[in-house]
Amino acid sequence: MHFKIEDTRLLTLLNSIVIGTLIGLIVSTFRLSIEHMLKFFQQLYQQAANNWIWILIILAINVALAFIVGFFVKKTPEISGSGIPQIEGQLAGEYEEKWWPVLWKKFVGGILAIGSGLMLGREGPSIQLGAVVGQGWSKFRHYSGSQRRVMIAGGAAAGLSAAFNAPIASTLFVLEEIYHNFSPLVWISALTSAIVSNFVSLNFFGLTPVLAMNHPRSLPLGMYWHLILLGILLGIFGRLYQICTLRLKAWYGKLTFLPRWLHSIVPFVLIIPVGLLWPSYLGGGNELITYIARIHPVLLTMIILLIVRFVFSMISYGSGLPGGIFLPILTLGAVFGTVYVSAMTGLHLINPSYLPNFVIYAMAGYFAAIGKAPFTAILLITEMVGSLQHLMPLAVVALTAYIVLDLMGGEPIYESLLHQLVPTITATPSGPQDRVEVPITEGSPLDGMAVRNIKWPKQSLLISIHRGSSQLIPAGDSVIKVGDTLIVTTHHGQRGRVKEYFNNLM
């Protein structure tokens, strides 16, 4: 019996093992540094209560951090925000960045911003750290075009996997939310890198899931109407989050007395009262999620927590500091779930013992709505909680929230942020040849059409049709079928426009 492994896939596998190992070490160190720094600041705030000298010391520290991180952003704007839109732009051929400055400045700046207690997530920076490691490895190996993109996509998956210890969801996130294509080479790279980086991360943090909770009993079928109602509310609340997030740049632009790079002073100063009153509210929120799932929440307290987290998540992210919205979204979803249970308990419609259930369901629903990535949301929460018990209710809430937000005109948040980052695609193509992979899905208008009858974008060429494990050389009378992947070449600078053309066509 003869076994054959294609050289391209084997090489992709080996490269993915290398970058997965590197990213696992980098992101695990990133996580540890944030955790230790956050504990230090929480203790500092507790000590500063009713002590003006310590409050002034904290103010001086925060202002200094604002200048340091703000200066990093000024010199390297690519480190601003989560970094996920930047990666999506890179993979679409619409955006480029230098990997080394982004790597070390995002690493240091992310630790200082998130570790100081700002309500930002570590996952976005982790994804960008992974992607630039993949980009750096591609440069070392002299890869370009599709090989380079595969390494970047694999690195992004590895970064998220090490941040959340969720390799399957991380792979799907890259395919569903960032790359928008289930190319075999991409998923091989993403899955391999994610598993390897997760293995490295587990050696740092142990086998306990990131959001480990006491697994509650299953939700009775008679209570499933709560899932529909919760999903509807999360969809509406998610649309509000999207609208506010996309307007942050304009709102911050009204601070004309501060240059853009010093907008970082705003969250660093405003977070001080929150730290003095509620030090446990600080940071991305993963410890807060597990805490509220164990308590008997008071409705008014949870509403205050929801408002504080929502407002300061906006203030922190809108300043342009290196930090993500991924974990803050999950935290807001968890808090919203506690508000829902508290309200329904007061109406005698829910037993409060189901609180952990609804914390889990609301996290998935809120992320599914805002990110418009329901599959990722379901798998991510399943892996982070460490239980397969909730797949059906998770799916109901996630799908409901997704549909509600879609009916309200919401778009995937990271794609919308990319449009703010790169409002227009370069009209004049330049640079070397690159390729676009176009999957033909059920219902595609290209299904059943001959190649000669298709209106192809200008300055593009169909060079291959992937059908199963076969690669067909196209001719004018070749018929496109569902399941095919079309390989179209174009200039590198034109790749984004060609991809957008096919996306609109589908």
Side-chain angles (χ1 to χ4, degrees):
M1 184 178 292
H2 178 65
F3 295 95
K4 179 183 177 183
I5 301 177
E6 291 186 21
D7 291 342
T8 303
R9 297 189 181 185
L10 178 59
L11 186 59
T12 298
L13 188 71
L14 296 175
N15 282 319
S16 301
I17 291 172
V18 174
I19 64 173
T21 303
L22 293 173
I23 293 165
L25 292 170
I26 292 170
V27 173
S28 296
T29 306
F30 184 69
R31 279 180 62 181
L32 276 176
S33 302
I34 290 173
E35 289 180 7
H36 288 305
M37 186 172 174
L38 181 58
K39 288 179 182 177
F40 169 78
F41 266 85
Q42 288 173 332
Q43 293 171 358
L44 195 61
Y45 278 113
Q46 291 171 354
Q47 186 174 344
N50 302 317
N51 188 323
W52 285 103
I53 295 177
W54 277 104
I55 292 175
L56 292 175
I57 292 173
I58 291 174
L59 177 61
I61 293 173
N62 280 14
V63 171
L65 290 176
F67 271 87
I68 294 170
V69 182
F71 183 75
F72 283 175
V73 174
K74 179 183 179 181
K75 292 298 182 181
T76 310
E78 295 88 349
I79 70 170
S80 177
S82 68
I84 296 176
Q86 289 92 317
I87 302 164
E88 191 170 347
Q90 267 192 304
L91 295 177
E94 303 171 15
Y95 182 87
E96 273 303 327
E97 60 188 17
K98 296 180 180 179
W99 73 274
W100 174 245
V102 172
L103 177 60
W104 78 264
K105 290 179 182 177
K106 190 80 170 192
F107 184 89
V108 176
I111 291 171
L112 296 179
I114 305 169
S116 64
L118 299 184
M119 295 180 189
L120 296 166
R122 65 174 182 254
E123 72 304 315
S126 299
I127 293 172
Q128 190 174 21
L129 289 173
V132 294
V133 169
Q135 182 181 341
W137 181 254
S138 297
K139 186 174 182 179
F140 173 74
R141 297 283 296 166
H142 304 290
Y143 291 154
S144 61
S146 62
Q147 286 181 306
R148 178 175 180 266
R149 288 195 301 275
V150 166
M151 293 297 100
I152 293 174
L160 180 57
S161 179
F164 280 162
N165 296 125
I168 308 302
S170 301
T171 302
L172 187 59
F173 177 76
V174 169
L175 298 175
E176 184 180 25
E177 182 67 20
I178 296 180
Y179 200 78
H180 305 294
N181 195 327
F182 285 75
S183 165
L185 281 180
V186 174
W187 75 252
I188 287 173
S189 174
L191 182 60
T192 304
S193 300
I195 290 174
V196 172
S197 70
N198 181 60
F199 178 80
V200 174
S201 178
L202 291 176
N203 281 276
F204 280 81
F205 301 100
L207 296 173
T208 304
V210 173
L211 297 179
M213 302 180 191
N214 292 327
H215 297 159
R217 60 194 182 194
S218 299
L219 191 71
L221 293 176
M223 296 181 66
Y224 266 51
W225 65 271
H226 282 293
L227 303 178
I228 303 294
L229 178 57
L230 178 63
I232 293 172
L233 295 174
L234 287 169
I236 297 170
F237 189 47
R239 183 60 181 142
L240 174 64
Y241 186 95
Q242 285 190 335
I243 292 171
C244 292
T245 301
L246 296 174
R247 292 181 180 177
L248 288 173
K249 191 173 182 180
W251 290 342
Y252 262 97
K254 296 179 180 180
L255 301 177
T256 54
F257 59 92
L258 281 175
R260 174 61 179 164
W261 70 278
L262 282 182
H263 286 172
S264 54
I265 289 178
V266 177
F268 269 108
V269 171
L270 293 182
I271 199 67
I272 294 175
V274 178
L276 294 171
L277 294 172
W278 307 291
S280 62
Y281 286 12
L282 298 177
N286 53 302
E287 292 184 0
L288 182 62
I289 293 171
T290 56
Y291 171 72
I292 62 177
R294 298 193 303 265
I295 64 174
H296 297 285
V298 177
L299 179 59
L300 180 59
T301 303
M302 289 297 103
I303 291 175
I304 292 173
L305 175 58
L306 184 66
I307 294 172
V308 169
R309 291 288 314 186
F310 187 92
V311 171
F312 276 89
S313 172
M314 295 294 162
I315 293 173
S316 300
Y317 188 77
S319 66
L321 288 167
I325 57 174
F326 205 120
L327 185 56
I329 286 173
L330 297 182
T331 305
L332 282 170
V335 177
F336 193 93
T338 64
V339 170
Y340 182 87
V341 171
S342 299
M344 289 297 171
T345 299
L347 297 174
H348 306 289
L349 293 174
I350 280 184
N351 188 317
S353 64
Y354 287 109
L355 173 64
N357 294 60
F358 281 85
V359 167
I360 293 169
Y361 306 154
M363 284 192 292
Y366 200 47
F367 181 79
I370 295 172
K372 296 196 77 172
F375 291 109
T376 298
I378 294 166
L379 279 179
L380 180 69
I381 299 305
T382 298
E383 287 191 285
M384 291 180 72
V385 172
S387 171
L388 295 171
Q389 186 177 358
H390 311 288
L391 284 176
M392 180 63 179
L394 282 175
V396 173
V397 174
L399 185 60
T400 304
Y402 173 90
I403 292 172
V404 169
L405 186 127
D406 192 60
L407 291 174
M408 296 178 70
E411 297 293 334
I413 188 64
Y414 294 115
E415 185 175 321
S416 300
L417 290 171
L418 172 62
H419 292 159
Q420 286 189 343
L421 182 69
V422 188
T424 57
I425 301 172
T426 304
T428 304
S430 61
Q433 289 289 309
D434 207 339
R435 74 178 197 172
V436 177
E437 297 181 5
V438 183
I440 306 301
T441 56
E442 193 66 51
S444 169
L446 300 184
D447 178 28
M449 291 187 65
V451 169
R452 64 165 57 93
N453 296 328
I454 298 174
K455 184 180 179 180
W456 299 96
K458 292 181 179 179
Q459 300 180 355
S460 67
L461 177 66
L462 175 66
I463 62 169
S464 177
I465 301 175
H466 289 190
R467 181 169 297 165
S469 58
S470 303
Q471 296 187 30
L472 310 178
I473 304 300
D477 57 355
S478 299
V479 177
I480 308 297
K481 297 181 180 180
V482 170
D484 289 349
T485 299
L486 311 182
I487 308 301
V488 180
T489 61
T490 186
H491 288 283
H492 177 74
Q494 186 77 356
R495 185 175 183 275
R497 181 179 292 275
V498 172
K499 189 170 184 179
E500 184 179 22
Y501 173 88
F502 283 110
N503 287 340
N504 294 334
L505 191 63
M506 299 302 175

